[in-house]
Amino acid sequence: MPVRNALEALSMRPTDFLRSAWPWRSLAYLFGGVLIGCATIVAVLVLVAAGIVLSVVVVGIAGYIATVLSGVAVGRLERWRMRLVDENTLPDPHRPAPRAGLRAWVLLRLREQATWRELGYTTLSALILCWMDALVLVGAVLLPLNLIAGPFYIDDSPLYITIPVAFSGITMAIIMFYPVTAWAGARAAMARAILAPRLDDAGIKLVEVTQSRARLVDAFELERRRIERDLHDGAQQRLVALSMQLGMARLELPAGSAAAEQVAQAHELAKQALTELRELIRGVHPKVLTDRGLQAAVAEVAGMAPLPVDVDVRLPVRLSSMVEVTAYFVVVEALTNVAKHSGARRASVTAEVSGGRLILEVRDDGRGGAEPSGGSGLVGLADRVAAIDGAVAISSPPGGPTVLHVEMPVLT
């Protein structure tokens, strides 16, 4: 699986890691953090001072509001530059303003939880993180450069001392690539945890239902398994027997006769019907899901997709049958939508269990703009998840990327 972020890059072989762009991307990320932190401090001080000075004429309130909303700009910039160390794009949690105009936009942003999380991240970044970035950069850049440049500015020591010191600076610079990349990856993970969309954010399309609907799903699942069993043990076996009988009849008829040609056509039709029936049974309830679990079933679906799909499913144990079936069909429907509507070149599926819930994400790098009302099956998919007390969130801004986030309880 390709390396997607700086923390994963640390597990690469040392030669591959040092030849890769990850150390340099991490340095650029931390350097940007220092610049943004310093610029934020200056901007906030100016806005607060303007608010204090102008508060006597009420206009100063705008300075305080601008201070609060500064987190929106910093959050947007952080999500953009985070791609230096994490190739999984972080979606924008904000929804578009219902009406045109600055007033509608400001009122909406002040009511969104994401705005206050971004303000908290901005405060954390300006007061702590940017200084830690600067400290790491001093240790990783300035100290090695100081040692490397020793022979050029140290006049009171002979070259046989300063030259080995310079080589030690080169070694130190190479070694420091690892803590730099580790801190950049950890810092980006911290930013992702704070800035990532939540299921309760306004603007994320959610579907939640009560647990009483689970009884309907149980009945549906039992009926589906009955249909699968009847197809497998009834119609499929009869088609197999018919295909064998027609095959034996072809052997008994003289070659080239009209009857032989008709029997051969009937034999081919029977084999095609058997193939289609097996595909239907697999769609009702795939055998690999029952035998090997969700991880193997998702890998099989990804392997049959018409575009490359990265799969990262980490499940400690087998989940309940209802959760596995629901998660499987979510992935099938989502990848079908990606192939049909998104124009994406690549997709990914991730799943893990956290806090007693299965967290499933399907993302693609397509054109975005997915809407439940657009006939893409998202409403039915959300209803399926909601029936087991789960929730669905979709973020698909124009231009992409599209992220489908699904949570469902492990025990239903």
Side-chain angles (χ1 to χ4, degrees):
M1 185 177 297
V3 174
R4 305 287 294 181
N5 58 60
L7 291 178
E8 292 178 357
L10 293 173
S11 62
M12 298 169 61
R13 294 172 54 187
T15 53
D16 294 337
F17 171 74
L18 295 174
R19 288 200 307 266
S20 71
W22 289 107
W24 304 104
R25 293 169 67 168
S26 300
L27 282 171
Y29 177 72
L30 297 184
F31 184 72
V34 173
L35 293 181
I36 293 174
C38 294
T40 300
I41 294 173
V42 173
V44 169
L45 289 177
V46 170
L47 290 173
V48 172
I52 294 173
V53 172
L54 298 176
S55 59
V56 294
V57 291
V58 184
V59 180
I61 297 176
Y64 298 132
I65 295 176
T67 302
V68 173
L69 295 179
S70 64
V72 176
V74 173
R76 184 183 298 273
L77 183 59
E78 179 63 28
R79 283 188 292 272
W80 174 78
R81 75 185 195 92
M82 195 186 298
R83 289 179 291 182
L84 282 170
V85 290
D86 192 342
E87 294 181 352
N88 294 316
T89 305
L90 192 62
D92 190 342
H94 298 288
R95 63 171 175 167
R99 298 181 304 277
L102 179 62
R103 183 173 181 272
W105 184 87
V106 170
L107 291 177
L108 175 63
R109 292 294 174 261
L110 291 177
R111 289 195 299 265
E112 289 181 318
Q113 294 184 14
T115 300
W116 300 96
R117 290 200 307 271
E118 289 170 337
L119 178 61
Y121 174 79
T122 301
T123 304
L124 179 66
S125 177
L127 296 181
I128 299 176
L129 296 182
C130 73
W131 304 107
M132 297 181 68
D133 293 344
L135 185 63
V136 173
L137 289 175
V138 167
V141 178
L142 294 185
L143 290 182
L145 287 179
N146 186 55
L147 295 176
I148 294 172
F152 300 99
Y153 72 87
I154 298 177
D155 299 327
D156 55 352
S157 297
L159 288 178
Y160 67 83
I161 294 178
T162 57
I163 289 179
V165 170
F167 279 105
S168 69
I170 296 175
T171 304
M172 181 182 180
I174 294 174
I175 295 174
M176 287 301 294
F177 277 149
Y178 282 91
V180 165
T181 305
W183 169 242
R187 193 192 193 289
M190 188 187 311
R192 177 177 289 274
I194 298 174
L195 301 177
R198 305 291 197 273
L199 288 178
D200 54 354
D201 281 338
I204 301 296
K205 305 168 184 66
L206 303 176
V207 180
E208 295 184 353
V209 296
T210 60
Q211 289 191 1
S212 61
R213 294 182 62 183
R215 291 193 296 270
L216 298 176
V217 178
D218 289 337
F220 172 75
E221 179 64 18
L222 290 175
E223 181 65 15
R224 186 172 62 180
R225 286 183 176 273
R226 185 190 65 77
I227 294 173
E228 176 198 4
R229 183 174 60 253
D230 291 346
L231 289 174
H232 184 274
D233 298 337
Q236 180 176 255
Q237 299 303 321
R238 292 187 179 91
L239 277 176
V240 170
L242 174 62
S243 180
M244 294 178 61
Q245 291 290 339
L246 289 173
M248 295 174 63
R250 290 179 64 180
L251 297 176
E252 297 296 333
L253 294 172
S257 64
E261 183 177 349
Q262 294 295 326
V263 171
Q265 293 179 0
H267 189 204
E268 292 300 322
L269 290 174
K271 289 194 292 185
Q272 292 176 12
L274 182 59
T275 301
E276 293 175 359
L277 183 61
R278 284 171 176 164
E279 292 295 328
L280 175 62
I281 295 173
R282 182 182 303 171
V284 172
H285 191 91
K287 183 175 177 58
V288 65
L289 183 63
T290 303
D291 295 343
R292 299 172 56 196
L294 181 62
Q295 188 168 359
V298 170
E300 183 181 81
V301 172
M304 294 187 295
L307 74 165
V309 179
D310 299 323
V311 177
D312 185 11
V313 178
R314 304 175 185 179
L315 304 177
V317 294
R318 287 289 299 268
L319 306 179
S320 64
S321 174
M322 184 62 63
V323 173
E324 286 191 340
V325 169
T326 303
Y328 172 80
F329 283 106
V330 165
V331 173
V332 171
E333 181 67 29
L335 292 181
T336 300
N337 288 339
V338 170
K340 288 184 177 180
H341 307 295
S342 72
R345 292 175 295 179
R346 196 172 194 90
S348 66
V349 179
T350 61
E352 63 177 352
V353 174
S354 176
R357 297 177 72 82
L358 174 64
I359 312 298
L360 175 67
E361 276 195 0
V362 181
R363 65 172 64 227
D364 66 72
D365 59 359
R367 66 177 67 95
E371 287 290 340
S373 58
S376 57
L378 292 174
V379 173
L381 182 151
D383 287 341
R384 180 189 291 272
V385 174
I388 60 171
D389 198 25
V392 172
I394 179 170
S395 174
S396 185
T402 296
V403 180
L404 180 70
H405 182 93
V406 179
E407 294 188 12
M408 62 189 82
V410 172
L411 300 177
T412 60

